[in-house]
Amino acid sequence: MAELAAHAHHDVNVAHQFDDAEQQKESVTVGMWAFLVNEVMFFGGLFGLYIVYRFLHPTAFQHASHHLDVTLGTFNTAVLIGSSLTMALAVHAAQMSHNRFRQIFWVMATVVLGSVFLGVKVYEYYHKWVDHLIPGPNFHWPDAGEAHAVQIFYSLYFAMTGLHALHMIIGVGIMAWLMWAMWKGRFGPAYHNPVEVCGLYWHFVDIVWIFLFPLLYLIGRH
Amino acid sequence: MSSAKSVAHEAEHASEHVVGIGMYLAIFVSLMVLTAITTAVAYVDLGALNNVVMLGIAVLKATLVVLFFMHVRFNSRLTQMFALCGFVWILLLFAFTVGDVATRGILR
Amino acid sequence: MNTAIDTRPKDEPTTYLNADYTVRSWLLTVDHKRIAILYLVSISIFFLVGAIFAGLIRLELLTPRGDLVQSDTYNKLFTMHGVVMIFFFLVPSIPAVLGNFLIPLMIGARDLAFPRINLLSWYIFMIGAGFALYAMITGGLDTGWTFYTPFSTSASTTNVIPAALGVFITGFSSILTGLNFIVTIHTMRAPGLTWMRLPLFVWAHYATSLIMILGTPVLAITILLVAVERGLHLGFFDPKLGGDPILFQHLFWFYSHPAVYIMILPGMGVISELVTAFSRKRVFGYAFIAVSSLMIAVLGFVVWGHHMFTSGQSVYVGMVFSFLSMAVAIPSAVKVFNWTATLYKGSVSWDSPMLYALGFIGLFTIGGLTGLFLATLGLDVHVHDTYFVVAHFHYVMVGGAIMAYLGGIHFWWPKITGRMYPEALAKVAGVIVFLGFNLTFFPQFIVGYLGMPRRYHVYPDEFQVLNVMSTAGATILGIGYLLPMLYLPWSLRFGERAIANPWGAAGLEWETASPPPTENFVRTPIVTAEAYDYETSVQFPPAPANGSMKEAAVG
């Protein structure tokens, strides 16, 4: 049986288990996508519950949804799509040059937009508290007949947007690390896997919101 | 050495494709326009079509993000398969649970 | 790679085991082989814990009255037996120990694709296990391992939240392991190792990993919702709010049925290796066995409703699930037929791993066929929640998965540790396990069919004879499990030194030293032939029947 000569690594960016940068890049990309598949299934369980309960209680869900602020929801959607653009530009910056200020600028812009989104979310949550729409002993809904179904809607609302917000908070943490690594001058045209992978994560969180927004805010508005 | 591993055929597209800034901006504008449409349509009564349009636009937006922002359009076949796989697989869960709930009462 | 002080004797080659002896070098290792050992030690402890619960259950059921424990305690016993055995032993058993150790070796790689994530998986596993242990020590859990709502969310007074968090956290360990395997198998194969040359063990783990990343997150979110509903009073399944508790069962079994295949598929991979190695014959129908693993993984996702035939789910969906459940029997049967055909006219040797493999084939067949009874909608209504079900899944999980695990541990023990174990004792243990297992669980088929329900600590007098048989069998089975737990550690010090390929088996893992060096292969191998090429390849010395491997290697 023939054997290949063991070869020493000269590229500091290639981990010892990989043969070359190309193999590493493919592994990292597929790995991140496999993780995102797992994330899809993770959120998918909640979406499944949402579909069934909306099917069972269509009008109650419609009424409950009317207490969400479409203006803020639309604004936040725009903000999040904007942050996806800045993230894509951060990846682009790393692909094109070693200019760390440009890289950090776009990541910083992403963090700022992400924080705006989270800030709006906090404001919305606060109003749900004021309006007694948080499930539990404090919950109050005028129409007793559909109060239960409305409570389920709001349980799902908080679970889905809460989990989404948690992902964004983790994302902001990841971005902080990314900026630190950029400051160290780690990334450039030859090596920027971590920037790409963090970008994939951020875009995925954006996609989740793309579905959450119409499903939660836009039920039967006419 | 780069072709030493048998993954070569899977990594045939691995040589990097850089998406231009113009393309990113075009996608961004499309996403914004689609968001505006989906919000506007919600206020028009289309009956059951409302949900179809709403989800159709959401799927379209997600597809744009996946293909261009997430570079799947330019990735290896393997990455494309994984990207598709998650979104298809969750439909199994939806199909059977909704199938159960929708047909549960019929015999009673 | 390793810069620690070299303390090993001069004549010993560097291996992954003697590269460094410090505790730190073990707890911070990123070597897949060392991480496999970490898992081996931790899951062995959990196996013991789960076995003690099982022993107490069998002891209680010796008599028809509740002599030993009260019903509350009994509920906790069977719950904790299930939780520990499933989430903390069976799910990680073969993948995290043997898969972790062998996949990079079998595909000629230096490590998994993400070594640090691999270590992280182990830490996540241990944190989750910590939560579960906390739940057990501070009052236990009585929901059954299935955490059914609304009992778990509102009625139970036991430690549901810490146990649920334990399962939730451990799930991520499983997900990350699966992710690592998938990427590794896709991108790290040695030159020439095409998909159709991959060992069947690797195929089985690929299919398993797919289930891990597609199914486990659904369990994670579901079990998290149970904890949230219980702790924060958000309503998801609560019938008092108009919620549907059966939805919990849908989400739960969407993972937990495929999880059965997480437990059995790697076992099937092990058996494929053992049967070919000890028949000294090319495996019959390689492609069929490989593809059947994927078929099982895919079909396994659309049969979960057969756990819910009596739950009140739609009878139409029930019929579809019933039909699909029978369809899963096809790829499983393909495997059994192909193993049997591999044995046919092979030069079969009766070494201890082979005893476990043959035991597996017989017991898995019984477990699988009784599964068909249960998949039949009408019959299931009769035997649902009886000991028939208990016997069925123990034939698959214990008679299948654990037999394969033990067979695999014996087969690769020389590779993992560099030592041979006492073969005669191992054969005795294998026979004891087989006999003890059947005496434990076969009577349960009968007593279940006669109508004894599971999960009760008292039962009518007429069932006592069969229960006494079962408890006696459990004692024998316990002895059978205890023996390897004694002689395997013994062999670490006193066992004969193993050569690189003591069984004369085919496969890249046998080409490197026993135990392997940290970097697995001194030179990256190039693969030029398909797996199990026993007829044409003459590079390995044939294993002698009398089991004296050392002389065979010299001669």
Side-chain angles (χ1 to χ4, degrees), chain A:
Chain A
M1 194 167 276
E3 288 169 333
L4 282 182
H7 52 285
H9 290 300
H10 299 296
D11 188 346
V12 288
N13 288 321
V14 177
H16 77 93
Q17 69 272 25
F18 296 114
D19 282 342
D20 50 42
E22 198 168 321
Q23 188 191 26
Q24 171 166 286
K25 188 176 171 60
E26 176 75 355
S27 301
V28 169
T29 313
V30 173
M32 191 59 197
W33 270 104
F35 179 74
L36 293 183
V37 164
N38 144 71
E39 287 275 36
V40 170
M41 301 305 287
F42 190 65
F43 278 98
L46 277 171
F47 278 95
L49 284 183
Y50 172 90
I51 292 171
V52 169
Y53 284 129
R54 177 153 170 204
F55 175 82
L56 290 174
H57 313 289
T59 42
F61 265 46
Q62 192 170 332
H63 296 157
S65 162
H66 286 195
H67 277 258
L68 297 178
D69 191 329
V70 179
T71 318
L72 287 181
T74 314
F75 173 75
N76 253 354
T77 310
V79 167
L80 209 49
I81 291 175
S83 79
S84 251
L85 175 69
T86 53
M87 189 66 232
L89 292 174
V91 175
H92 187 261
Q95 281 174 332
M96 299 309 283
S97 81
H98 278 287
N99 186 335
R100 57 185 184 176
F101 293 101
R102 219 167 91 196
Q103 295 171 3
I104 291 177
F105 173 80
W106 287 119
V107 177
M108 197 65 211
T110 310
V111 170
V112 169
L113 289 170
S115 308
V116 170
F117 178 96
L118 288 170
V120 172
K121 212 70 227 157
V122 169
Y123 175 79
E124 284 188 88
Y125 278 9
Y126 170 71
H127 269 264
K128 297 297 162 291
W129 171 257
V130 172
D131 295 345
H132 297 285
L133 289 173
I134 294 187
N138 193 32
F139 183 81
H140 178 73
W141 185 258
D143 183 351
E146 59 181 27
H148 285 160
V150 170
Q151 195 165 341
I152 287 185
F153 176 88
Y154 276 102
S155 294
L156 284 169
Y157 168 81
F158 282 108
M160 291 167 114
T161 57
L163 202 60
H164 177 259
L166 182 66
H167 274 79
M168 294 205 49
I169 293 168
I170 293 171
V172 169
I174 293 172
M175 294 299 144
W177 171 82
L178 199 56
M179 286 190 282
W180 175 79
M182 284 171 163
W183 181 249
K184 295 259 171 190
R186 292 250 181 95
F187 310 121
Y191 175 72
H192 45 259
N193 289 342
V195 192
E196 283 227 44
V197 167
C198 295
L200 289 179
Y201 175 84
W202 192 267
H203 294 308
F204 171 78
V205 176
D206 185 21
I207 289 177
V208 173
W209 183 259
I210 284 177
F211 284 96
L212 284 181
F213 170 61
L215 289 179
L216 293 173
Y217 288 76
L218 299 178
I219 311 176
R221 282 284 170 178
H222 46 271

Side-chain angles (χ1 to χ4, degrees), chain A residues 53 56-57 147-149 152, chain C residues 235-245 247:
Chain A
Y53 284 129
L56 290 174
H57 313 289
H148 285 160
I152 287 185
Chain C
F236 300 104
F237 309 109
D238 190 350
K240 273 186 289 187
L241 294 178
D244 184 356
L247 273 184

Side-chain angles (χ1 to χ4, degrees), chain C residues 61-379:
Chain C
L61 292 175
L62 198 58
T63 62
R65 286 162 299 280
D67 296 324
L68 184 65
V69 295
Q70 289 307 302
S71 51
D72 283 351
T73 315
Y74 185 78
N75 291 347
K76 290 176 184 170
L77 282 179
F78 72 70
T79 299
M80 295 189 292
H81 168 68
V83 168
V84 170
M85 282 301 199
I86 288 175
F87 295 114
F88 297 100
F89 175 72
L90 278 170
V91 167
S93 61
I94 298 179
V97 177
L98 293 174
N100 228 331
F101 194 95
L102 292 167
I103 286 178
L105 287 170
M106 283 184 167
I107 65 173
R110 283 183 290 278
D111 205 320
L112 289 171
F114 309 117
R116 276 185 295 184
I117 289 182
N118 196 19
L119 180 64
L120 179 67
S121 307
W122 182 73
Y123 276 102
I124 294 177
F125 175 77
M126 294 310 281
I127 293 169
F131 272 84
L133 281 177
Y134 167 80
M136 282 178 229
I137 292 166
T138 62
L141 175 74
D142 68 348
T143 59
W145 77 278
T146 52
F147 290 92
Y148 271 8
T149 55
F151 182 72
S152 59
T153 50
S154 42
S156 174
T157 55
T158 51
N159 279 330
V160 177
I161 293 180
L165 288 178
V167 171
F168 172 78
I169 295 167
T170 307
F172 285 93
S173 148
S174 178
I175 289 167
L176 292 177
T177 302
L179 190 153
N180 226 332
F181 286 174
I182 285 183
V183 175
T184 305
I185 296 169
H186 266 292
T187 65
M188 313 274 288
R189 282 172 281 128
L193 190 54
T194 59
W195 281 93
M196 281 297 141
R197 285 176 180 171
L198 275 183
L200 291 167
F201 181 88
V202 178
W203 268 104
H205 274 78
Y206 184 76
T208 309
S209 306
L210 284 181
I211 304 176
M212 282 173 167
I213 63 162
L214 289 169
T216 318
V218 177
L219 173 80
I221 187 70
T222 312
I223 217 80
L224 185 64
L225 291 181
V226 167
V228 167
E229 177 156 346
R230 193 180 164 89
L232 303 177
H233 304 292
L234 269 66
F236 300 104
F237 309 109
D238 190 350
K240 273 186 289 187
L241 294 178
D244 184 356
I246 297 177
L247 273 184
F248 170 83
Q249 298 189 23
H250 275 300
L251 292 178
F252 178 82
W253 289 113
F254 182 84
Y255 163 76
S256 293
H257 188 75
V260 171
Y261 300 109
I262 293 182
M263 302 175 221
I264 197 70
L265 269 172
M268 292 169 157
V270 169
I271 300 305
S272 300
E273 300 292 324
L274 300 190
V275 166
T276 43
F278 292 104
S279 303
R280 314 221 57 76
K281 199 166 153 247
R282 176 176 296 180
V283 70
F284 184 85
Y286 169 90
F288 279 91
I289 300 187
V291 173
S292 67
S293 289
L294 290 182
M295 290 284 291
I296 289 175
V298 171
L299 281 173
F301 267 102
V302 291
V303 301
W304 77 82
H306 66 220
H307 294 268
M308 302 161 56
F309 284 154
T310 61
S311 70
Q313 97 181 322
S314 157
V315 80
Y316 298 100
V317 176
M319 287 191 281
V320 175
F321 277 132
S322 179
F323 171 77
L324 289 170
S325 304
M326 306 221 176
V328 192
I330 297 169
S332 309
V334 163
K335 284 184 191 287
V336 174
F337 285 135
N338 282 318
W339 292 325
T340 320
T342 308
L343 292 171
Y344 178 68
K345 286 194 176 171
S347 39
V348 176
S349 50
W350 299 88
D351 296 293
S352 49
M354 186 60 160
L355 293 184
Y356 283 105
L358 295 174
F360 174 99
I361 295 176
L363 299 180
F364 173 74
T365 304
I366 297 177
L369 288 177
T370 49
L372 281 178
F373 300 4
L374 293 168
T376 313
L377 188 45
L379 182 59

